[in-house]
C-alpha cells in the first residue's frame, strides 16, 4: 500500500529527493528510487494520485475520465506492461476502434486498459511510495546547495534534489521569479511545449448506450470526439456509464465557459449518439489534455546550486508510454547520482 497522507506537513521538513506530481511520471520515478532503497517524498495537489489516469465513480457508475487506453511501442515499456498484466491490473482491451459510421480501423497493435479502470496503473506504481495528497506547491527556489519548496499551507520543505513532473507550463510557473531570471537560458528549451485542453464528461444513462463491442467509437465531430461505454469496457458492471471527450475545438472554445453551460451543450450534442436517455452528466475540464508537441529527450536536467529535473508526457514521445518511460529515466538518473555521491563521500582524502 502507498503511504498517503492528507494532513498538513511540519515546518522546515527535509527530504533528500522530492517529486512534485503523482502522475505516471512522478510515480514511476518514485518506483525506481524505491527499488534502490531510496524513499522520495511525492507531493500531489489533487485528492488522488494518477493524473490523467483517473477512474471516477458517479451515480453508481465507474468512468475513465482521462486516458482511455494505452499502447506499447518500446521493449522497456512492454516489460512493465507484462508485469501489470501478470499482477492482474491490466489487460488487452482491443486492437482497433470503429468510427461513427461503424467502420473499424484495421486491426493492429494491442490497446491496453486497466482491469478495474485506468487508475490501476498509478495504483500499481504507488505501492510503498510516500505520497502526500492535497498538497499544492506554491513556489520552489534555490537555497544553499538545496531547493526550498513552499507549500500553500505555509510549510517549507528542503530537498537536495527536486523532480518536477506536472505539465511543463505548470511546472515552469512553480519556479521563483529570481531563479527563472537567473536560469532563463537553461529553462528556455522547455518553454516551447504547448498543451491541448480536453473537456470530459461522465454520462449516466437510463439504459444501454447502443454502442457495440469493444465499447468505444471515434466520433471526431465538431463537439464530440470520443465515446466509451464503460459497462461494455468492463469497468462499470453495475450501471450504464459513458465517458465522452469533447473535440479540441469545443474544448478550446469553452476553456473558460462555466461548467453548467458546457454540460448543457454536451448533453444536447450527445443525445443523437446514445440509445438511452441521459439521466445525468458531469463535466470535467483537463486544462492540459495532451501535449501538442514533445521534446526529443527522456528528461531534462538543470544544474543549479542543486539539481532540478523535469520529466513527464512532454518527453519520450508523450502519451502514457512516454510519461512512464520519462519518469523511469529520471528516476534512474537520480539513483545513479545519489549512488556516485555516496561513493565519493565515502572515499578517504589523499593517498
Amino acid at each position: 500500500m502507498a503511504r498517503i497522507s492528507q494532513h498538513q506537513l511540519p515546518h522546515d521538513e527535509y527530504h533528500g529527493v522530492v517529486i512534485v506530481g503523482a502522475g505516471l511520471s512522478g510515480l514511476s520515478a518514485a518506483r525506481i528510487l524505491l527499488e534502490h532503497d531510496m524513499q522520495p517524498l511525492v507531493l500531489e495537489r489533487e485528492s488522488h494520485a494518477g493524473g490523467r489516469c483517473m477512474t471516477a465513480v458517479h451515480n453508481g457508475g465507474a468512468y475513465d475520465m482521462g486516458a482511455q487506453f494505452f499502447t506499447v511501442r518500446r521493449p522497456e515499456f512492454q516489460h512493465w506492461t507484462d508485469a501489470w498484466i501478470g499482477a492482474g491490473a491490466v489487460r488487452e482491451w482491443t486492437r482497433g476502434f470503429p468510427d461513427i459510421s461503424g467502420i473499424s480501423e484495421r486491426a493492429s497493435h494491442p490497446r491496453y486498459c486497466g482491469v478495474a479502470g485506468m487508475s490501476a496503473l498509478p495504483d500499481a506504481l504507488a505501492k510503498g511510495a510516500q505520497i502526500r495528497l492535497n498538497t499544492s506547491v506554491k513556489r520552489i527556489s534555490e537555497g544553499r546547495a538545496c531547493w526550498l519548496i513552499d507549500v500553500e499551507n505555509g510549510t517549507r520543505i528542503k530537498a537536495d534534489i527536486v523532480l518536477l513532473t506536472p505539465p511543463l507550463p505548470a511546472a515552469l510557473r512553480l519556479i521563483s521569479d529570481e531563479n527563472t531570471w537567473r536560469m532563463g537560458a537553461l529553462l528556455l528549451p522547455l518553454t516551447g511545449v504547448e498543451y491541448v485542453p480536453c473537456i470530459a464528461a461522465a454520462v449516466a444513462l437510463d439504459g444501454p448506450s447502443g454502442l457495440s463491442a469493444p465499447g468505444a467509437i471515434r466520433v471526431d465531430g465538431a463537439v464530440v470526439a470520443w465515446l466509451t461505454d464503460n459497462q461494455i469496457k468492463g469497468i462499470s458492471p453495475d450501471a450504464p456509464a459513458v465517458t465522452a471527450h469533447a473535440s479540441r475545438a469545443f474544448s478550446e472554445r469553452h476553456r473558460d465557459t462555466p461548467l453548467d453551460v458546457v454540460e448543457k451543450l454536451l448533453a444536447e450534442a450527445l443525445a443523437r449518439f446514445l440509445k438511452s436517455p441521459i439521466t445525468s452528466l458531469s463535466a470535467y475540464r483537463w486544462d492540459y489534455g495532451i501535449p501538442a508537441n514533445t521534446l526529443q529527450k527522456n528528461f531534462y536536467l538543470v544544474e543549479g546550486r542543486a539539481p532540478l529535473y523535469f520529466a513527464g508526457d512532454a518527453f519520450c514521445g508523450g502519451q502514457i508510454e512516454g510519461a512512464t518511460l520519462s519518469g523511469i529515466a529520471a528516476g534512474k538518473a537520480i539513483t545513479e547520482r545519489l549512488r556516485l555521491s555516496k561513493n565519493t563521500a565515502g572515499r578517504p582524502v589523499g593517498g
Side-chain angles (χ1 to χ4, degrees):
M1 292 288 291
R3 286 183 284 171
I4 297 178
S5 171
Q6 301 192 33
H7 302 294
Q8 287 194 342
L9 311 177
H11 287 275
D12 295 324
E13 190 174 352
Y14 166 78
H15 290 269
V17 180
V18 171
I19 299 172
V20 179
L24 294 184
S25 289
L27 293 176
S28 58
R31 171 60 37 208
I32 295 298
L33 288 161
L34 285 167
E35 289 177 354
H36 289 83
D37 298 321
M38 302 172 187
Q39 179 67 268
L41 173 65
V42 183
L43 305 178
E44 171 56 50
R45 71 172 187 173
E46 301 292 344
S47 60
H48 66 278
R52 282 154 284 177
C53 281
M54 183 178 80
T55 306
V57 176
H58 175 69
N59 285 350
Y63 302 80
D64 279 332
M65 293 299 291
Q68 300 297 298
F69 63 91
F70 68 94
T71 58
V72 177
R73 307 287 183 177
R74 282 165 274 193
E76 183 177 8
F77 192 52
Q78 186 67 62
H79 170 76
W80 285 73
T81 300
D82 290 342
W84 292 331
I85 292 172
V90 164
R91 66 176 178 87
E92 181 179 328
W93 180 13
T94 184
R95 298 208 170 197
F97 298 100
D99 60 20
I100 193 61
S101 65
I103 300 175
S104 293
E105 56 190 335
R106 187 174 62 182
S108 56
H109 51 277
R111 276 73 163 177
Y112 298 96
C113 67
V115 171
M118 291 299 289
S119 62
L121 276 69
D123 287 348
L125 289 169
K127 291 179 180 178
Q130 185 180 4
I131 304 169
R132 287 179 176 163
L133 303 176
N134 298 313
T135 304
S136 185
V137 173
K138 182 179 178 181
R139 179 182 60 202
I140 69 168
S141 55
E142 283 183 304
R144 293 183 178 179
C146 69
W147 285 99
L148 305 175
I149 304 164
D150 292 314
V151 181
E152 283 194 349
N153 64 9
T155 300
R156 169 165 282 187
I157 303 172
K158 297 180 181 180
D160 295 328
I161 297 173
V162 170
L163 169 60
L164 296 179
T165 67
L168 280 180
L172 291 171
R173 284 198 296 271
L174 297 178
I175 302 172
S176 69
D177 291 341
E178 177 185 350
N179 288 125
T180 299
W181 176 82
R182 196 179 68 78
M183 300 187 301
L186 297 174
L187 297 174
L188 188 61
L190 305 179
T191 60
V193 176
E194 298 180 352
Y195 279 74
V196 176
C198 178
I199 296 175
V203 186
L205 302 178
D206 194 29
S209 68
L211 274 63
S212 57
I217 58 171
R218 295 176 288 107
V219 179
D220 296 330
V223 177
V224 181
W226 178 273
L227 292 173
T228 294
D229 184 321
N230 294 291
Q231 194 168 43
I232 297 174
K233 188 179 182 181
I235 71 167
S236 182
D238 299 327
V242 170
T243 298
H245 281 182
S247 68
R248 174 176 179 173
F250 181 90
S251 298
E252 289 179 337
R253 185 165 64 251
H254 294 285
R255 189 189 294 265
D256 299 314
T257 303
L259 280 181
D260 59 337
V261 176
V262 170
E263 288 168 351
K264 182 178 179 180
L265 294 172
L266 284 175
E268 292 172 353
L270 287 168
R272 62 181 288 253
F273 300 113
L274 301 171
K275 178 180 177 181
S276 298
I278 296 172
T279 58
S280 70
L281 186 151
S282 179
Y284 187 92
R285 184 177 278 118
W286 297 104
D287 292 327
Y288 302 101
I290 58 172
N293 55 303
T294 59
L295 300 173
Q296 300 303 309
K297 296 176 179 291
N298 292 333
F299 61 89
Y300 192 79
L301 169 62
V302 175
E303 291 281 12
R305 296 172 191 160
L308 176 64
Y309 291 81
F310 294 82
D313 63 358
F315 301 91
C316 288
Q319 302 183 342
I320 285 179
E321 180 177 53
T324 305
L325 292 180
S326 175
I328 291 170
K332 288 180 177 179
I334 294 170
T335 298
E336 180 65 10
R337 187 185 193 105
L338 292 173
R339 185 188 69 80
L340 292 174
S341 176
K342 182 178 180 180
N343 289 345
T344 301
R347 291 175 185 168
V349 177

